[in-house]
Amino acid sequence: MFPAAGLHVLEPLNLDLITRPLEKPSDPESNPSSLPSTFRSRQRILSTTQPYIGKMKMPASAQRQTALALVDSFNRMDVPAIIDARTPGCLRHLYPSAMAQAPQDTASYAKSLTSLHAIFQNFSLTIDELIEDTANNRICMWLSARADTAAGEYINEYVWLLDFDDSGKKIVRSKEYSDAVMARDFFPKLRTAMKEEQRSRKGPNGTHTNGR
């Protein structure tokens, strides 16, 4: 999907590594213990920019570390950490286009996350697949999401296309795709359930049952 990137250069040069035939890396699926805890055992880690030299695998790039840390922040629902991974001018674009949602800047995204925190309990993200393009400072992730809500269990799938700055530590733009059919069917039920929950908390005179 992405163009191949340039290889990292190791210095000083090791002639033994040059003369030794390159060894094919083992399939992550055949060795689940080698996968990060964020990944399920059946998942594959794909990258166009992680060369192997002999038995030595290049360390994870800064942008990959940022992407994995971002998922971890969502699993802890740490809103400040989620926002800190983005530049102040980062725009979040929501797809498919049929959803007709305007891009969100970092400030509006933070506000949305804060409000959703109270609605989606036990929210979790699992990375199904990750593809990295270090030459263009880009990572694409396919994710599975679940949470508990007033309308029952929330289950969805996302594809995030993240563009990073040159340091790989900040996201400068995100394009996020979600299951539009699921959103169309679920969120009206969620709004109804939340209204019913609010009414149940009020007494006959319209005040909250806890006296506030």
Side-chain angles (χ1 to χ4, degrees):
M1 179 181 293
F2 298 121
L7 298 181
H8 298 272
V9 177
L10 298 179
E11 295 182 354
L13 189 62
N14 190 328
L15 296 179
D16 180 60
L17 294 178
I18 294 177
T19 56
R20 185 191 312 161
L22 292 180
E23 298 179 18
K24 181 179 180 181
S26 61
D27 188 346
E29 293 183 356
S30 65
N31 184 18
S33 62
S34 67
L35 295 175
S37 59
T38 308
F39 290 80
R40 295 189 295 221
S41 60
R42 70 176 180 83
Q43 295 155 350
R44 302 180 64 192
I45 306 174
L46 305 179
S47 176
T48 61
T49 57
Q50 290 292 322
Y52 286 79
I53 300 181
K55 294 184 178 180
M56 297 191 303
K57 181 180 179 181
M58 301 302 297
S61 65
Q63 65 185 28
R64 179 180 288 240
Q65 294 178 44
T66 301
L68 296 180
L70 177 66
V71 172
D72 182 63
S73 296
F74 269 97
N75 287 331
R76 292 180 286 107
M77 197 45 72
D78 187 341
V79 175
I82 294 170
I83 296 303
D84 187 59
R86 311 170 78 88
T87 61
C90 178
L91 285 180
R92 178 187 183 225
H93 301 265
L94 301 174
Y95 295 91
S97 301
M99 296 173 64
Q101 296 198 43
Q104 287 184 314
D105 59 22
T106 299
S108 60
Y109 185 35
K111 185 177 180 180
S112 295
L113 286 173
T114 301
S115 63
L116 291 174
H117 187 192
I119 299 172
F120 291 87
Q121 303 295 321
N122 305 315
F123 183 84
S124 66
L125 280 178
T126 302
I127 300 174
D128 294 308
E129 205 159 296
L130 185 156
I131 300 175
E132 182 177 17
D133 177 15
T134 55
N136 293 298
N137 301 333
R138 175 172 287 181
I139 279 180
C140 182
M141 293 190 291
W142 169 26
L143 305 129
S144 297
R146 79 156 304 278
D148 298 313
T149 76
E153 187 179 29
Y154 168 82
I155 297 178
N156 207 334
E157 291 181 280
Y158 308 140
V159 174
W160 291 355
L161 185 60
L162 307 176
D163 290 316
F164 296 81
D165 62 10
D166 289 338
S167 73
K169 297 180 179 180
K170 297 288 184 180
I171 300 167
V172 298
R173 182 179 64 175
S174 67
K175 294 182 177 181
E176 302 181 15
Y177 297 77
S178 63
D179 185 340
V181 174
M182 188 280 170
R184 179 198 64 195
D185 295 341
F186 180 81
F187 283 102
K189 296 178 183 177
L190 178 60
R191 285 191 290 270
T192 300
M194 290 177 64
K195 288 179 180 178
E196 292 177 352
E197 189 176 77
Q198 290 173 354
R199 282 196 295 267
S200 68
R201 293 177 182 175
K202 294 182 179 181
N205 60 355
T207 60
H208 287 281
T209 55
N210 60 9
R212 290 185 291 177

